Amino acid sequence: MKKRVGLILTGGGARAAYQVGVLKAIAELLPRNAHNPFQVICGTSAGALNAATIAVNARNFRKGVRYLNNIWKNFHANQVYRTDLAGVSINTMLWVTGIFLSGLGINKFKNVSLLDNSPLVELLEEVMPCEKIQESIDAGLLHALSITASGYGSGQSVTFYQGVSEIVPWRRARRVGIPTKIQTKHLLASSALPFFFPATQINREYFGDGSMRQIAPISSALHLGATRLLIISVKADETMEQLNRSDIGDYPSLAQIAGHAMNGLFLDSMEVDLERVQRINNLVAMMPEEMSKRADFKQVDVLVIKPSQPIEKIAERYVAEFPWTIRVLLRLIGAAHHSGATLVSYLLSEGSFCRALIDLGYQDAMARRDEVLHFLDVQPHRDEEMPQ
């Protein structure tokens, strides 16, 4: 079997800026004009936007990462959702009204969300030339790109993929892989945070954030032909998070409950899937080769890079960067204090916070420089750094 390195970029809203820092370090470790080193790229939620950008720029990996770096470090919330008074207040009132009316069986405001993400729609249509994905595939620079979204009607985790013709679609319990031509609508669907952003219609079904019901986030990369996987997580080690817990006996605010739900949505399934892969790897190591072949078990090398600091702690320092309208909205649901920092870390799409996460990702990856180089099977290389 041909060896293919897969890249998995998980969901996490604004936390996805951390992924850019890791990719920036990798780009510096590779030769200046190196092609994309990841033959299979899988993105979910905000990670889908990063994944598509790398796929579009597969001919020059450093160029693609530099583009991501420039986008994220200069981000403002108003590029993702409306932050003006009219946009926030009207959408909030319609959302509350919609909840009330739906309880009465009236679905007049069924397409309303807490935030209006029309700025993100305009941004993606302007900066994401999705037609170049096929060019990367035809040039042999990319084996497959996948974007995962969750179907509200079917209840399935749907992985939309674009790749070489040899890839076979799959169907498993609550998850399917469907070949398609990746477009802006797939990225919007995958990153549509439930309640906060509106669902996106693809064909006959409405889809929301791909992290919902994604019970096996690693499996898509394996179905697409990856034999080893680099996973960029957006969650620090649990031991570190335990050390930073405080006031756990206080009754949770609405924001704290929402942040807890976000963690469950974005982070838990990956940890469970990683444990599953490790168990299978241990089992394969103990089995005779002939038996593992009959059982169709394969060893999968996995490298996980995760934050060395809790991202919610970093987010606490940048809450004041939110536009005042969003700060008021967050204060109403109890996100003004540190108990709401987890929720804030998903929504804080401001350049100062994103730059802090990019720097953290860069330092974390560089601290594991030798591991990364060995995993990618490339010779050590370091020339002048990319612009900050």
Side-chain angles (χ1 to χ4, degrees):
M1 176 183 293
K2 184 176 180 180
K3 292 184 178 180
R4 298 188 186 94
V5 181
L7 173 65
I8 297 181
L9 300 176
T10 59
R15 290 180 176 222
Y18 176 83
Q19 300 169 353
V20 179
V22 175
L23 294 171
K24 178 182 174 183
I26 293 173
E28 287 187 8
L29 295 174
L30 298 176
R32 175 175 294 276
N33 296 316
H35 296 326
N36 160 47
F38 306 106
Q39 292 76 44
V40 175
I41 305 177
C42 302
T44 302
S45 192
L49 312 182
N50 293 338
T53 302
I54 296 301
V56 164
N57 293 279
R59 190 170 296 279
N60 190 320
F61 181 65
R62 180 174 290 207
K63 176 184 175 183
V65 174
R66 184 185 296 115
Y67 187 74
L68 276 176
N69 184 57
N70 289 336
I71 289 288
W72 280 95
K73 75 177 185 178
N74 295 306
F75 239 148
H76 293 289
N78 60 14
Q79 293 176 282
V80 181
Y81 47 84
R82 287 185 62 180
T83 61
D84 58 288
L85 179 60
V88 173
S89 57
I90 292 174
N91 245 63
T92 301
M93 287 187 292
L94 289 175
W95 185 70
V96 172
T97 303
I99 293 176
F100 176 74
L101 292 179
S102 64
L104 300 177
I106 303 172
N107 294 320
K108 185 176 181 180
F109 299 104
K110 62 182 179 180
N111 294 333
V112 175
S113 56
L114 188 58
L115 297 173
D116 179 354
N117 70 337
S118 56
L120 180 60
V121 177
E122 296 174 4
L123 177 65
L124 289 178
E125 290 177 346
E126 178 184 347
V127 304
M128 190 66 72
C130 290
E131 66 276 3
K132 290 189 176 182
I133 296 171
Q134 190 60 47
E135 294 179 15
S136 298
I137 296 170
D138 294 340
L141 304 172
L142 180 68
H143 189 72
L145 166 70
S146 75
I147 305 297
T148 298
S150 180
Y152 282 116
S154 64
Q156 291 184 319
S157 176
V158 180
T159 296
F160 299 99
Y161 70 86
Q162 186 172 350
V164 299
S165 58
E166 292 80 12
I167 298 175
V168 179
W170 64 90
R171 180 176 292 275
R172 298 292 186 270
R174 290 295 177 187
R175 50 194 169 95
V176 296
I178 299 176
T180 191
K181 182 174 289 187
I182 301 297
Q183 301 175 47
T184 299
K185 63 183 178 182
H186 298 98
L187 306 181
L188 290 169
S190 183
S191 56
L193 283 172
F195 302 113
F196 288 96
F197 297 144
T200 299
Q201 186 174 11
I202 300 176
N203 299 326
R204 293 174 297 172
E205 187 173 10
Y206 281 93
F207 288 85
D209 198 287
S211 296
M212 295 187 292
R213 313 201 76 165
Q214 192 182 30
I215 58 176
I218 294 175
S219 67
S220 295
L222 301 179
H223 280 295
L224 295 172
T227 57
R228 50 174 42 198
L229 302 171
L230 173 63
I231 300 172
I232 305 179
S233 177
V234 293
K235 180 183 181 183
D237 288 325
E238 263 190 37
T239 52
M240 184 172 299
E241 292 188 341
Q242 291 290 338
L243 292 174
N244 284 279
R245 290 173 68 183
S246 60
D247 301 330
I248 60 176
D250 294 345
Y251 193 84
S253 65
L254 179 58
Q256 191 172 1
I257 294 172
H260 184 74
M262 289 291 188
N263 279 346
L265 179 68
F266 290 114
L267 308 177
D268 293 348
S269 59
M270 176 58 76
E271 291 188 342
V272 172
D273 213 17
L274 279 170
E275 285 186 3
R276 185 184 301 120
V277 169
Q278 188 57 56
R279 287 198 301 269
I280 293 176
N281 282 345
N282 293 338
L283 181 61
V284 171
M286 294 186 294
M287 293 172 63
E289 185 177 352
E290 186 62 34
M291 184 180 297
S292 63
K293 285 183 178 179
R294 286 202 304 268
D296 196 26
F297 284 169
K298 301 180 181 66
Q299 185 91 16
V300 180
D301 293 331
V302 178
L303 176 63
V304 182
I305 297 180
K306 59 177 60 178
S308 57
Q309 302 173 33
I311 289 181
E312 53 268 30
K313 289 294 181 181
I314 300 175
E316 286 186 43
R317 306 199 298 262
Y318 294 96
V319 174
E321 301 295 325
F322 270 122
W324 72 269
T325 50
I326 303 301
R327 291 203 305 273
V328 171
L329 179 61
L330 292 174
R331 190 174 290 113
L332 291 174
I333 61 175
H337 305 292
H338 72 272
S339 62
T342 298
L343 176 62
V344 167
S345 72
Y346 290 105
L347 298 176
L348 188 51
S349 301
E350 289 295 324
S352 52
F353 174 59
C354 293
R355 285 193 292 273
L357 296 191
I358 290 172
D359 289 342
L360 178 63
Y362 178 85
Q363 298 299 331
D364 288 346
M366 280 301 185
R368 302 177 65 181
R369 176 178 183 271
D370 293 339
E371 282 183 83
V372 172
L373 288 169
H374 177 73
F375 185 83
L376 295 177
D377 194 23
V378 297
Q379 294 300 314
H381 177 87
R382 183 79 182 271
D383 51 25
E384 64 177 278
E385 295 184 355
M386 294 173 59
Q388 295 296 319

